[in-house]
Amino acid sequence: MSKNALIVGANGQDASYLAEFLLEKGYKVHGTIRRNSVPESQTTRIEGIRESGLIDLHYMDLTDTISVDSVVKETQADEIYHLAAQSHVQVSFELPKYTLDVNSGGTLAILEAVRRFSPHSKVYHAATSEMFGNSCDADGFQRETTPLIPVSPYGCSKLYAHSLCHNYRNAYKMFICSGILFNHESPRRGINFVTNKTVLEAVKIKLGMSKKLVLGNLYSKRDWGHAKDYVEAMWLMLQQDKPNDFVIATGETRSVKEMVKYVFSKLGMNWEDHVQTDKKFERPEELDYLRGDPTKAKQLLSWKPKYTFESMMDEMIEYWLKELKK
Ligand code: NAP
Ligand code: GDD
């Protein structure tokens, strides 16, 4: 019999790739969406599979525990992928309480609902490299054992949720994996994250539709992978015999400036002619450097990314060139 999966936050970047991945594997897929006054934007990233009736959608908001209980109880999923969050770091400084309510309180609501109504479900929790803050091992990598000292309300909210996952795993013997994923991007990435913002604006400049790109801190470094590779790792975690935590990363790091330079040069332009900076895109406290060590995932999950930084950025450039030429 085919397995039954529930994706919490089905319209997100990762959720859209995960839904396609699980459908290919023959899963029955349920997903949750939020009510929005513009109904089209509730399902933008999953329009194709929604129209074909391949995904069963349920309304759920993480701040509404009644809806969380109902959906978990009703779907009785073999696997629950909890991907919903207020996921923007800079926004979390402006909406700190909401970020905490959704990311920490919402995770508690999911874990409690599973404990009470669907204890057989295996749970994946979307933790993050933002939990490390500026802590790093002496060899320049972050790994599962690196101290977690977050520097944003978002990072703090995810650390609280990550700790709850450990607590529920140990106290109630629940199968809960927390994936410590480093930044992952794609053409489906929100356009207020730095990679897709850069690609979209650079393509507009190339096509004569815009003149400049305004960014914040160009000197922070990130370990950027592709969302499609990272959702496979989520699935692999839930196929193991025991619940565990895993760092998912490429092991490479680049500055925002290097990423910007790559995109502009790929489009035949000099980035310095078009890029300006503005303090309004800087955070009150910055996470300066991320470089993950995915050795544990490679050894225990046999996980290996297929995309390189270049092939990922090229895909994003191609996507926007095609979209904007339409
Ligand atoms: P995303 O594109 O921002 O998607 C987040 C999803 O959560 C959206 O579907 C959103 O719904 C939903 N959501 C937000 N608030 C909600 C609420 N109150 N109740 C119910 N649903 C809510 O994020 P992503 O990039 O796919 O990331 C997926 C998860 O991994 C997130 O938890 C993120 O924090 C975490 N993560 C991401 C990265 C990364 O680099 N992408 C790295 C590490 C961890 P709407 O579509 O209606 O807004
Ligand atoms: N968003 C944004 N916009 N970031 C900018 C800009 C800008 O105009 N200019 C410079 N940056 C810098 C940020 O200061 C940060 O150092 C870096 O670019 C990356 O920013 P984001 O793309 O917003 O990602 P993030 O690293 O803050 O957070 C993402 O990765 C986390 C994993 O480490 C998000 O996906 C989080 O949800 C995720 O957990």
Side-chain angles (χ1 to χ4, degrees):
M1 220 175 70
S2 69
K3 281 193 188 168
N4 179 9
L6 169 64
I7 305 178
V8 181
N11 192 39
Q13 171 191 244
D14 293 3
S16 66
Y17 285 109
L18 180 65
E20 290 163 10
F21 177 87
L22 294 174
L23 285 167
E24 266 177 39
K25 293 224 167 277
Y27 278 68
K28 160 83 192 145
V29 179
H30 294 271
T32 76
I33 53 167
R34 289 194 290 175
R35 192 263 165 183
N36 186 313
S37 66
V38 184
E40 304 88 276
S41 69
Q42 290 170 18
T43 50
T44 324
R45 293 192 178 100
I46 47 170
E47 215 31 54
I49 54 176
R50 185 192 69 81
E51 277 175 357
S52 333
L54 291 170
I55 184 164
D56 222 338
L57 292 175
H58 309 256
Y59 279 105
M60 178 205 277
D61 193 299
L62 286 175
T63 57
D64 178 346
T65 52
I66 297 172
S67 70
V68 175
D69 288 353
S70 303
V71 176
V72 168
K73 203 171 182 174
E74 188 186 326
T75 51
Q76 291 294 312
D78 298 302
E79 296 171 12
I80 298 178
Y81 295 87
H82 168 32
L83 307 184
Q86 190 303 91
S87 73
H88 201 284
V89 175
Q90 188 173 5
V91 171
S92 80
F93 285 96
E94 289 177 45
L95 299 176
K97 183 171 181 302
Y98 176 74
T99 302
L100 223 74
D101 287 349
V102 172
N103 299 1
S104 314
T107 301
L108 177 60
I110 296 278
L111 297 177
E112 258 306 297
V114 174
R115 183 180 77 80
R116 286 181 291 143
F117 305 122
S118 191
H120 73 284
S121 301
K122 290 181 170 185
V123 180
Y124 172 83
H125 169 249
T128 163
S129 48
E130 186 71 22
M131 298 188 306
F132 291 116
N134 284 313
S135 97
C136 186
D137 290 352
D139 63 357
F141 287 89
Q142 289 102 358
R143 45 179 65 84
E144 291 80 1
T145 47
T146 306
L148 301 168
I149 312 169
V151 293
S152 64
Y154 169 79
C156 295
S157 73
K158 285 283 186 175
L159 177 54
Y160 189 103
H162 182 62
S163 309
L164 281 172
C165 290
H166 292 168
N167 178 220
Y168 272 62
R169 184 197 288 168
N170 297 328
Y172 305 115
K173 311 292 172 241
M174 288 165 61
F175 194 109
I176 305 165
C177 293
S178 206
I180 307 173
L181 272 53
F182 283 61
N183 299 49
H184 45 280
E185 321 292 311
S186 74
R188 298 182 196 173
R189 182 61 138 158
I191 53 168
N192 55 353
F193 293 90
V194 76
T195 54
N196 219 12
K197 175 176 172 179
T198 299
V199 176
L200 171 59
E201 279 310 309
V203 169
K204 278 190 183 170
I205 293 166
K206 179 73 185 172
L207 299 178
M209 298 161 74
S210 174
K211 289 213 178 329
K212 59 177 190 218
L213 163 65
V214 187
L215 292 171
N217 179 12
L218 300 179
Y219 299 97
S220 57
K221 291 190 155 192
R222 290 293 182 272
D223 177 330
W224 281 295
H226 197 296
K228 211 170 173 178
D229 283 329
Y230 286 36
V231 301
E232 185 183 4
M234 297 175 187
W235 175 78
L236 284 168
M237 288 181 212
L238 295 196
Q239 310 315 307
Q240 304 306 300
D241 294 333
K242 287 187 193 150
N244 213 330
D245 299 336
F246 291 93
V247 157
I248 302 298
T250 68
E252 293 177 12
T253 189
R254 287 176 179 78
S255 66
V256 171
K257 187 168 148 183
E258 286 172 291
M259 182 273 296
V260 170
K261 203 170 164 183
Y262 179 82
V263 173
F264 277 82
S265 74
K266 197 75 198 175
L267 288 162
M269 298 185 290
N270 178 10
W271 72 278
E272 284 164 306
D273 296 339
H274 305 283
V275 177
Q276 293 176 8
T277 55
D278 189 322
K279 287 208 174 303
K280 81 175 175 201
F281 294 113
E282 290 181 14
R283 288 121 200 238
E285 190 174 4
E286 176 66 284
L287 192 165
D288 296 318
Y289 172 89
L290 284 174
R291 185 179 191 185
D293 173 10
T295 303
K296 183 175 170 186
K298 286 190 170 169
Q299 285 174 352
L300 298 187
L301 305 177
S302 303
W303 175 79
K304 203 170 151 210
K306 296 180 186 73
Y307 281 86
T308 60
F309 170 80
E310 289 79 10
S311 63
M312 174 181 76
M313 297 308 300
D314 293 354
E315 183 186 291
M316 293 166 73
I317 294 168
E318 282 309 312
Y319 171 83
W320 282 116
L321 277 171
K322 211 167 142 195
E323 278 300 300
L324 294 182
K325 279 180 185 166
K326 275 186 200 162

